[in-house]
Amino acid sequence: MRVDRLWHNARLATLVPGNGLGEVMDGIIAAQGARIAYAGAASKAPALDAGERIDCQGRWITPGLIDCHTHLVYGGDRAREFELRLAGASYEEIARSGGGIVSTVNETRAASEAQLVEQSLTRLDALIAEGVTTIEIKSGYGLALDQEAKQLRAARALATHRKIDVATTFLGAHALPPEANGDKDAYIDRVCREMIPAIARERLADAVDAFCEGIAFSPEQVARVFETATAHGLRVKLHADQLSDLGGAALAARFGALSADHLEHTNEDGIAAMANTGVVAVLLPGAFYFLRDTKSPPIAALRKHGVPIALATDCNPGTSPLTSLLLTLNMGATLFRLTVEECLAGVTRAAAKALGRSQTIGTLETGKYCDLAIWDIERPAELVYRMGFNPLHARVWRGQ
């Protein structure tokens, strides 16, 4: 078989389900164009005629990493709010006093699309340097159609500046804009009647998200958003049960969501509903850490019901200004007691499922995109164990 590239003398963590990390000690990967033509043991490979051969010298190869929940595109920062939190103010208190998400809305609205791209590239580059090959980016800091569209266009534009796949998510139901004068129902009307149809028509988003919380929107309001998204052919995701249990996990399951994210306060009935409908749990230890939360997501119940667990940075200016997916792995293990396998699956296989892309990315398998991270490590556990350590040797995106 003729192939374009062949990586040999490697150890693989294929992350194919059913066999731990899917370790292959005499591994090779062959790419034809952007796709994997073979991934597995050299001893079982067909005859391969490669245009280019790369000797990995015993290094480990994993699937390219996937950051499946970020708010990467935004203007300004919220370092001042960090100071306030250190002085004792809560996230809710800051939000209710005009800070929080709305302060970032003002900065984002004031920035041009080009400025948002420029500011966001720095954050994106930090993730790329750690082997990230796919990233999800939400809007939600515009809260008006033209501004939300600007954010989504900026997110899409990042893929023209860097070799990375960007999944975009419309998060118009993130917070109430100042001009709404406290009328949440009227704002949700605009999200449903004006924003979602336009976003869908211009194909700016792959999914629709919402923030279901007391300081954001009620389950009934979110249900309206999801009904509209579904009617326009868009999958849904949900910020669920982060600060309280409003039944967000069950709501996500009701609409067949790709994922329910955060989940610190989720009850077991909600988890069972997620399991029954294939909703992925996306855990965000950066926000848990940054907010000094004390209530962990119900990991035991997620395991009991077989809910796939993904991990993501939740990169955002207010509650998780984190641009390291490797540090997220360590946080997932240390703060949530996830295993090495759960952590690594959480930024590959499960993260792909959380984006609805399991057929093309997330594992090292024939036919999937050849997105690879090649590591200078002795064992995969090092990727979870070490802090402030980046052993990436090379990153391959779409076979190059």
Side-chain angles (χ1 to χ4, degrees):
M1 180 167 56
R2 176 70 178 175
V3 296
D4 294 323
R5 288 176 187 81
L6 178 70
W7 291 266
H8 63 101
N9 190 16
R11 291 175 283 179
L12 311 181
T14 66
L15 274 298
V16 174
N19 186 29
L21 294 176
E23 297 180 8
V24 179
M25 304 311 289
D26 63 331
I28 62 171
I29 295 177
Q32 181 63 43
R35 303 275 181 166
I36 295 174
Y38 177 82
S43 59
K44 298 179 181 179
L48 296 168
D49 179 17
E52 180 182 2
R53 298 176 64 90
I54 299 100
D55 185 349
C56 294
Q57 299 179 324
R59 294 182 176 91
W60 280 90
I61 303 179
T62 68
L65 304 189
I66 303 165
D67 197 352
C68 66
H69 179 132
T70 86
H71 306 252
L72 190 88
V73 173
Y74 60 83
D77 65 60
R78 299 204 333 239
R80 174 58 182 155
E81 291 179 18
F82 180 60
E83 291 184 276
L84 293 174
R85 276 204 295 275
L86 291 176
S90 72
Y91 179 45
E92 293 95 330
E93 288 169 342
I94 291 170
R96 294 187 189 281
S97 65
I101 292 168
V102 174
S103 65
T104 298
V105 169
N106 294 330
E107 295 277 4
T108 304
R109 287 179 172 184
S112 68
E113 184 177 324
Q115 288 171 327
L116 289 176
V117 170
E118 181 181 2
Q119 293 173 31
S120 301
L121 279 171
T122 301
R123 296 185 281 268
L124 181 62
D125 285 342
L127 291 163
I128 288 173
E130 291 188 347
V132 172
T133 52
T134 299
I135 186 169
E136 185 258 16
I137 302 176
K138 305 178 191 295
S139 63
Y141 295 130
L143 307 185
L145 176 56
D146 59 337
Q147 297 293 334
E148 289 287 300
K150 178 180 71 175
Q151 258 195 287
L152 292 167
R153 285 195 302 268
R156 289 274 172 93
L158 294 174
T160 68
H161 292 272
R162 298 291 187 270
K163 292 181 177 181
I164 192 163
D165 189 24
V166 176
T168 52
T169 300
F170 170 62
L171 182 55
H174 193 197
L176 198 63
E179 63 271 15
N181 296 317
D183 193 337
K184 292 184 179 181
D185 284 330
Y187 177 66
I188 292 297
D189 280 342
R190 288 201 297 277
V191 169
C192 294
R193 295 178 183 175
E194 176 188 353
M195 297 189 201
I196 291 177
I199 296 297
R201 186 169 53 249
E202 296 182 40
R203 299 183 178 181
L204 290 175
D206 302 299
V208 171
D209 199 345
F211 188 13
C212 185
E213 195 56 70
I215 62 170
F217 299 100
S218 70
E220 294 75 21
Q221 290 162 337
V222 170
R224 290 185 57 204
V225 172
F226 283 2
E227 287 166 358
T228 305
T230 302
H232 285 82
L234 291 167
R235 299 294 300 273
V236 299
K237 303 167 71 69
L238 185 64
H239 284 63
D241 307 331
Q242 179 185 10
L243 307 173
S244 61
D245 184 5
L246 294 184
L251 179 63
R254 173 182 153 197
F255 284 92
L258 289 167
S259 69
D261 304 27
H262 287 292
L263 301 177
E264 281 85 344
H265 292 264
T266 297
N267 61 57
E268 188 161 356
D269 287 344
I271 291 170
M274 289 173 61
N276 289 336
T277 52
V279 181
V280 177
V282 178
L283 306 186
L284 305 168
F288 180 91
Y289 164 83
F290 199 74
L291 292 173
R292 293 185 287 180
D293 206 342
T294 57
K295 185 171 178 58
S296 300
I299 303 300
L302 292 170
R303 289 170 175 156
K304 173 184 172 182
H305 290 276
V307 175
I309 298 172
L311 287 171
T313 63
D314 192 18
C315 174
N316 76 76
T319 62
S320 186
L322 175 62
T323 52
S324 172
L325 199 53
L326 291 178
L327 182 55
T328 302
L329 290 174
N330 181 270
M331 287 180 170
T334 303
L335 299 175
F336 298 158
R337 302 295 190 265
L338 298 179
T339 66
V340 167
E341 181 184 343
E342 287 171 331
C343 288
L344 292 177
V347 296
T348 54
R349 182 177 72 229
K353 184 174 174 60
L355 297 180
R357 301 191 178 192
S358 293
Q359 299 304 309
T360 55
I361 57 174
T363 59
L364 302 180
E365 294 183 84
T366 299
K368 292 194 174 183
Y369 283 122
C370 188
D371 294 350
L372 315 175
I374 305 174
W375 307 97
D376 276 316
I377 54 175
E378 284 303 313
R379 56 187 55 82
E382 286 186 55
L383 298 175
V384 180
Y385 155 71
R386 300 285 289 266
M387 295 187 292
F389 173 67
N390 182 5
L392 186 72
H393 171 74
R395 171 185 175 275
V396 177
W397 184 76
R398 301 298 193 260
Q400 298 185 9

